[in-house]
Every structure is written in C-alpha cells, then in structure tokens.
Amino acid sequence: MTDTSKPHGFIELSIDLAPEQIEPCIGLLSSEGIEYFQEEENRLLCYLPGDQWSEAKEQAVLMLLEKAFGKAQLLSARHIADRNWNAEWEANLQPVEISDRIVIVQKNKNFESKPGQIVIEINPKMSFGTGYHATTRLMLRQMEEMDLADATILDIGTGTGVLAIAARKLGNRHPILAVDNNDWAAENARENITENHTDNIRVEMLDAEDDLAEILDKQYDLILANINRNVIDRILPAIKNRTPTSRILISGIMIYDESWLKKLIKTLGYTSTRTIYEDEWLSTFVEPIS
C-alpha cells in the first residue's frame, strides 16, 4: 500500500501561449505524461511530480512546443512543495453542467440542480476530472446515452473518480474497478466516491501499462479510457488480446489524431459506433467486430 502521508513535491511549468494554442498544447504535453493543467488567458500551468522532471524531459517538452508552434515558447519550471490544493480549487471551481442530465459541482458549494439532474460532487485536489476539460465532458455525454445497468466496468486513469461515480449514478449495478498510477489521484478518487455515496467502487493504484495484466485479470463489458494517445497506442492491442469482447469508450485524443485512431481501431478488429467532438478533442465508442 502506498504511504500517502509522504510529502509530495511538484514541478510547475509555466508556458506562455495564445488562447487558441492552449488546447493543442495540453494534448501535446499529455503525450509526455503530464496530466495536470491549469488554464489561464495567455498561459498554461502544468504540474508533474518532481521526480519525473529532468533535463531530458525539459528538452523533450521544448522540442514539442517548437515543432507545434514554430518557435520555442517561454517556459519556466519551479519546484513547489505541498500546499492546500483544495483551497485553491475551491476558490475558482464553478459548477459544470455537462448536459441537462449531469452536473459536476464543488463539494459543499451551494447549487440548485434541475429536477431529475444527476449531481456529482467533486473535491478535485490535483486529480484530472473536474469536468472543466473537454475530454471529461465528452466521456460523460457518451455515457449518459448508454445502458450501463448490467455492465461490468473498468475505469483506466480514474483521476477524481468522476467517470466511475457517474456510471454508478447512471444506474450501474455491478462492482466497478477504477485504477490510476498516481497516489494523489487514487486517494482523491476514494474520497469523492465516499462523498457521493457511490458504493462498490474499488480504487487501486495501478499503472495502465506496467500493471495491465493484473488490471485485466477478468473480463469487462465496458472499459473507460480517458487517457492520452501514446498510452492508447500501447495498451489497446493488449486489451484486445486479453479481453477481446470488451467495448471501450475512449477520449483524450485530439481531432488531428482521428485518422491514426481509426486505423488502429480497424487493425485491431474494432468498429467505432459513435464519435463526438468538442473543441480540439474527440471521444469514440468502439466495439469488437463480431
């Protein structure tokens, strides 16, 4: 079991960007394993654990930025120690209406929901999945159109746990496994699951690549994968091999990579039955070809 009492040091990257460059930049940096972002008007703040930052990582980031935007962006990096992330989120987080049916709100914030609206309370810490990013919203909009009642579900890269929580509130009746390779996220997901009174969701700190054999030790009807292109590219063949009948709901993919994704899906013997878009991002629901 991970000792979550240990201090967590982070590197904060500050990148000057035009507003229209921020979404593409998030997609690029996600491919480098950076998962936590804060968007400002002309700047993107990115966070990653201190032990993952190195001169080689910095050069890789600079090269990505230069290739994408034609010149090296002003990038600064500083080490930050633990601080009260919750208080900082609480100061800025506003309710996010995913649709008429689903809304995400900050825990303990006053909010008057619409009749019949599903309210998901999130206390996000540093975990991905507040509803502020298009990839999370796309996943939730796909899920609300699906019959989840009798599906066995795996949530890969659970972040705040929002997708697993939503699945339960949308009527799922079976145990759900949610995994993440970050101890902040795993701890946060457990807290949010408790706050939402969504029982029978098990959160494990497991890596989608390194621990995939352990994660896929049983068959799942539905796999939720809101992760980045590189991870999808590496794990989708293994998923097809280990749990060939699983349906997969994918997000975290930029629209510029749609042709790549279509080719991968076809090569592995899947078919995409529904794809939706928002801003620079897409989500697609794939099923094995019978």
Side-chain angles (χ1 to χ4, degrees), residues 164-165 168 172-176 193-194 196-202:
I165 292 166
R168 180 67 75 234
N172 182 260
R173 297 190 289 249
H174 295 281
I176 297 172
I193 288 163
T194 298
N196 283 273
H197 308 289
T198 45
D199 59 0
N200 217 3
I201 301 174
R202 179 166 58 95

Side-chain angles (χ1 to χ4, degrees), residues 45-56:
L45 299 177
C46 320
Y47 300 90
L48 71 163
D51 60 3
Q52 294 181 14
W53 185 244
S54 64
E55 185 175 341

Side-chain angles (χ1 to χ4, degrees), residues 87-102:
E88 296 182 27
W89 276 107
E90 287 169 6
N92 300 295
L93 196 64
Q94 299 299 316
V96 180
E97 289 203 75
I98 305 300
S99 66
D100 287 339
R101 190 178 180 191
I102 300 174

Side-chain angles (χ1 to χ4, degrees), residues 98-102 118 137-149 170 222 247 249 274 276 285:
I98 305 300
S99 66
D100 287 339
R101 190 178 180 191
I102 300 174
I118 294 171
R137 295 193 294 270
L138 288 168
M139 291 286 284
L140 290 168
R141 288 171 188 148
Q142 292 266 48
M143 290 170 66
E144 69 174 323
E145 297 296 322
M146 301 165 64
D147 181 1
L148 301 176
L170 285 166
L222 176 64
R247 299 168 297 156
L249 184 57
R274 184 172 188 254
I276 61 174
F285 179 52

Side-chain angles (χ1 to χ4, degrees), residues 12 24 54 104 122 131 148 170 183 187 227 246 254 263:
E12 179 188 76
S54 64
I104 299 175
I122 293 295
L148 301 176
L170 285 166
D183 57 347
E187 178 187 358
I227 43 186
S246 293
M254 303 194 75
K263 182 178 179 180

